[in-house]
Amino acid sequence: MTTAVCDDNDIPVWLSLQCHPLYQHSGSVTVCAAVSHAAGSLLLHYRVAGEVSSLNVPGRKLPERADNLWQHTCAELFAGVEHAEAYCEFNFAPSLQWAAYQFAGYRKDLRTLSCSAPVIEMKHEDQVLEWRVELVLPWSCRQAPLQLGLSMVVEDMAGSCSYWALRHDTSRPDFHRRENWICRIESFA
């Protein structure tokens, strides 16, 4: 298993996300993500390039919490301290809405996570859909080493979703599986 280690606070590490083979996107797009960090915050970038006009992209709304964002085009982050069962899930929609959840273990004891609102900036052009997200990590995720799962749901105009992640190791997409969180932060110093 290849692991991307994010050691340098200033330089984002760009990683290609892979589409789950059972849910291929109907258009021609590529998806990648990048992450950098400093002082307990993450700076995340997500980019979909190619036939962006084939995507169902939610229109802009107030930048507030909302549930079920993952049912449409949405960038996601999973974060958990290595060797701990608990983890967090964050969703960032093109609408500027967001969600944050906390789990006690693998898909166990889902709760809304109390945290600062992320700052989400969107760029939507003919061939590029791009997120820039600044996220202050909650205290539960400010320990290192920290495992990150970068993923995305991409919905086409017909309503079909494709599922993109750094790695898929099961027959069905499952962004919650830590085996697929191959981005790692060694230190927050």
Side-chain angles (χ1 to χ4, degrees):
M1 171 176 74
T2 304
T3 302
V5 178
C6 305
D7 278 333
D8 191 321
N9 296 353
D10 298 325
I11 302 172
V13 176
W14 282 96
L15 304 164
S16 292
L17 301 186
Q18 308 303 313
C19 186
H20 193 280
L22 291 182
Y23 296 89
Q24 291 294 322
H25 181 68
S26 60
S28 177
V29 296
T30 59
V31 179
C32 60
V35 61
S36 59
H37 64 90
S41 292
L42 294 181
L43 183 57
L44 304 159
H45 296 269
Y46 295 87
R47 181 182 300 143
V48 179
E51 294 178 7
V52 174
S53 61
S54 69
L55 304 183
N56 183 14
V57 179
R60 296 212 177 187
K61 296 184 178 178
L62 289 175
E64 60 189 5
R65 275 188 194 256
D67 289 322
N68 301 315
L69 298 175
W70 56 270
Q71 294 178 350
H72 304 284
T73 299
C74 177
E76 299 190 9
L77 170 72
F78 291 80
V81 176
E82 191 172 74
H83 304 301
E85 286 189 48
Y87 64 95
C88 300
E89 173 186 353
F90 301 91
N91 303 153
F92 314 109
S95 65
L96 306 182
Q97 293 177 307
W98 60 279
Y101 305 103
Q102 181 174 311
F103 294 84
Y106 175 74
R107 294 184 177 271
K108 185 170 62 174
D109 299 329
L110 166 68
R111 288 179 281 152
T112 299
L113 178 65
S114 178
C115 64
S116 300
V119 176
I120 304 170
E121 297 174 8
M122 291 299 303
K123 180 168 79 171
H124 189 176
E125 298 176 345
D126 289 342
Q127 297 293 310
V128 175
L129 179 63
E130 191 168 277
W131 287 249
R132 181 187 179 279
V133 180
E134 186 174 344
L135 175 67
V136 176
L137 289 171
W139 284 108
S140 61
C141 289
R142 287 193 197 179
Q143 301 172 44
L146 184 66
Q147 293 176 284
L148 302 176
L150 302 166
S151 52
M152 183 174 289
V153 176
V154 176
E155 183 182 27
D156 65 21
M157 293 302 266
S160 296
C161 290
S162 55
Y163 302 91
W164 301 75
L166 293 170
R167 181 173 180 259
H168 297 282
D169 71 345
T170 57
S171 60
R172 309 258 326 153
D174 189 351
F175 297 158
H176 290 257
R177 288 181 51 83
R178 279 186 185 246
E179 293 83 355
N180 299 324
W181 302 359
I182 60 173
C183 188
R184 181 180 161 109
I185 295 177
E186 295 288 341
S187 165
F188 286 106

